């Protein structure tokens, strides 16, 4: 079946521009996560959506970062006034959170390069 | 905050068992141990998870010590396609906190 899909796969933009990254989770998955991975580093949690509950935004590094999710479907991560330190791979994951642990399924990420 | 400690790199001969250790000495009673791996340029792939009992699936086995302060992921017959970065993560079940930390993992190289 279809996995987590992210677009674009690569994005190059100039410093100061806004960017929007998209994540299509696996159908029926109620939980959705965004992570950031800098070159040679581990994954850094950004934000978590679970159904209609308020999202856990505690990992967002600054107010330039925001994310939205429409119901239990598509999510977008927006970075405003991009800086060079925002260059990283942005990964999205979804899972069937039904009250006990379910594994997260990851997309292949969006590689963001800020010039 | 890092809750797990892993060696930065390991080698394993093709066809042999790969044993990847992880220390999680501050693990809480409601926290699970999860393993993921990441092959270059791809998103992380779920491998296995456990709470206190040893677990086995088609990919690997997970051995958790009785005191739960450490665990070992075992790939029984490593192949070249198992070359990847392996992440050990501890995390509470849903509803008790959603943040978790992947760390830098163990880079496993399977040698022909």
């Amino acid at each position: 079946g279809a996995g987590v899909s992210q677009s674009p796969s690569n994005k190059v933009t100039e410093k100061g521009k806004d960017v929007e990254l998209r994540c299509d989770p696996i159908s029926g998955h109620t939980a959705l996560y965004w992570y950031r991975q800098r070159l040679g580093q581990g994954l850094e949690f950004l934000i978590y959506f679970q159904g209609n509950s308020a999202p856990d935004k505690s990992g967002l590094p600054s107010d330039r970062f925001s994310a939205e999710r429409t119901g239990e479907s598509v999510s977008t991560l927006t970075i405003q006034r991009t800086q060079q330190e925002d260059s990283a791979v942005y990964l999205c994951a979804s899972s069937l959170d039904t009250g006990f642990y379910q594994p997260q399924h990851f997309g292949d990420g969006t590689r963001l390069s800020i010039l | 905050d890092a809750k797990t400690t892993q060696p930065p790199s390991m080698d394993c001969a093709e066809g042999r068992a790969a044993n990847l250790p992880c220390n999680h000495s501050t693990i809480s009673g409601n926290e699970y141990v999860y393993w993921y791996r990441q092959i270059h340029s791809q998103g992380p792939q779920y491998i296995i998870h456990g709470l206190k009992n040893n677990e086995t699936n088609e990919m690997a086995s997970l051995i958790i010590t009785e005191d739960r302060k450490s665990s070992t992921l075992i790939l029984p017959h490593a192949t070249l396609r198992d070359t990847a970065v392996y992440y050990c993560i501890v995390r509470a079940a849903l509803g008790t906190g959603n943040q978790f930390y992947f760390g830098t993992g163990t880079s496993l190289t399977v040698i022909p």
Side-chain angles (χ1 to χ4, degrees):
Chain A
V4 176
S5 177
Q6 292 188 246
S7 61
S9 54
N10 286 282
K11 177 73 176 178
V12 180
T13 192
E14 294 179 346
K15 176 182 172 181
K17 301 287 188 182
D18 297 351
V19 295
E20 190 172 279
L21 312 179
R22 177 185 171 107
C23 173
D24 286 90
I26 293 172
S27 178
H29 281 195
T30 59
L32 186 147
Y33 306 77
W34 283 98
Y35 297 88
R36 177 170 70 178
Q37 187 173 32
R38 291 194 167 111
L39 186 63
Q41 303 294 313
L43 276 69
E44 176 186 4
F45 167 80
L46 297 178
I47 189 169
Y48 162 75
F49 295 90
Q50 169 56 43
N52 295 318
S53 301
D56 178 353
K57 304 179 181 181
S58 57
L60 295 178
S62 78
D63 58 8
R64 296 187 295 105
F65 288 72
S66 62
E68 294 184 349
R69 187 181 186 193
T70 307
E72 295 183 351
S73 61
V74 172
S75 176
T76 55
L77 176 69
T78 301
I79 308 173
Q80 296 178 308
R81 306 181 302 282
T82 53
Q83 304 294 315
Q84 287 186 332
E85 62 263 27
D86 298 334
S87 295
V89 176
Y90 290 81
L91 290 156
C92 176
S94 70
S95 70
L96 268 174
D97 275 334
T98 58
F100 53 90
Y101 181 78
Q102 293 286 338
Q104 296 184 22
H105 300 268
F106 284 81
D108 286 335
T110 293
R111 184 174 301 277
L112 177 64
S113 300
I114 309 299
L115 303 178
Chain B
D1 294 331
K3 300 192 75 171
T4 63
T5 304
Q6 299 177 254
S9 63
M10 291 181 63
D11 293 338
C12 177
E14 187 178 16
R16 302 296 294 269
N19 297 284
L20 291 90
C22 180
N23 287 322
H24 31 79
S25 58
T26 61
I27 193 169
S28 301
N30 64 348
E31 289 183 317
Y32 287 73
V33 180
Y34 312 100
W35 284 84
Y36 284 76
R37 72 181 182 184
Q38 188 173 26
I39 297 170
H40 183 62
S41 298
Q42 297 181 19
Q45 177 190 23
Y46 165 78
I47 301 173
I48 199 167
H49 75 279
L51 183 61
K52 56 182 179 180
N53 296 324
N54 297 337
E55 302 288 344
T56 296
N57 63 20
E58 65 278 4
M59 290 182 68
S61 295
L62 174 61
I63 308 299
I64 302 174
T65 58
E66 190 171 347
D67 63 7
R68 303 208 323 123
K69 292 186 177 181
S70 65
S71 61
T72 301
L73 178 75
I74 301 172
L75 307 178
H77 305 287
T79 70
L80 298 179
R81 287 174 293 184
D82 292 324
T83 293
V85 177
Y86 287 77
Y87 296 99
C88 169
I89 303 150
V90 295
R91 181 196 174 201
L94 179 68
T96 58
N98 299 311
Q99 287 195 43
F100 57 98
Y101 180 69
F102 270 73
T104 53
T106 296
S107 178
L108 174 69
T109 301
V110 180
I111 302 169

